[in-house]
């Protein structure tokens, strides 16, 4: 079981890192398309308007969070098909 746990850890990590990178690129492209300018590189900077900083933080946070969740679900589904069971950290779910 320990080797399966390590496989899941690496598999899940790769899925979430990949999803995060794709989501950030998509959000940057969407921001450029909708506003005509680059997204704020540092939303905490006082010269960035509060509305722009908050909009970027919410939009990018939601996009990255959803992408990571979807990637982890897909990876867990593949893991279950490959091994016959879910990873240990996903086994106990109250539905």
């Amino acid at each position: 079981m320990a080797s399966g746990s390590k496989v899941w850890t690496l598999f899940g990590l790769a899925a979430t890192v990949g999803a995060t990178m794709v989501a950030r690129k998509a959000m940057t492209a969407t921001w450029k398309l909708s506003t005509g300018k680059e997204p704020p590189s540092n939303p905490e900077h006082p010269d960035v308007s509060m509305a722009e900083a908050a909009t970027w933080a919410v939009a990018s946070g939601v996009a990255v969070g959803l992408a990571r969740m979807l990637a982890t679900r897909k990876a867990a589904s593949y893991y279950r098909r490959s091994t016959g069971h879910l990873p240990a950290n996903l086994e106990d779910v109250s539905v």
Side-chain angles (χ1 to χ4, degrees):
M1 188 64 141
S3 66
S5 175
K6 289 179 184 175
V7 169
W8 167 248
T9 299
L10 291 174
F11 194 57
L13 179 63
T16 58
V17 168
T20 299
M21 291 171 55
V22 169
R24 286 189 181 179
K25 284 187 181 270
M27 277 305 304
T28 299
T30 302
W31 186 272
K32 286 180 190 177
L33 185 64
S34 61
T35 66
K37 59 185 185 176
E38 294 288 325
S41 59
N42 185 1
E44 293 89 8
H45 195 282
D47 290 343
V48 176
S49 74
M50 180 56 91
E52 184 178 24
T55 302
W56 174 250
V58 170
S60 62
V62 168
V64 169
L66 282 172
R68 291 180 66 184
M69 185 266 306
L70 291 171
T72 302
R73 288 175 59 96
K74 195 70 166 167
S77 177
Y78 178 78
Y79 185 90
R80 179 170 46 192
R81 284 193 315 272
S82 299
T83 64
H85 60 85
L86 285 171
N89 65 328
L90 297 179
E91 286 285 345
D92 186 25
V93 175
S94 319
V95 180

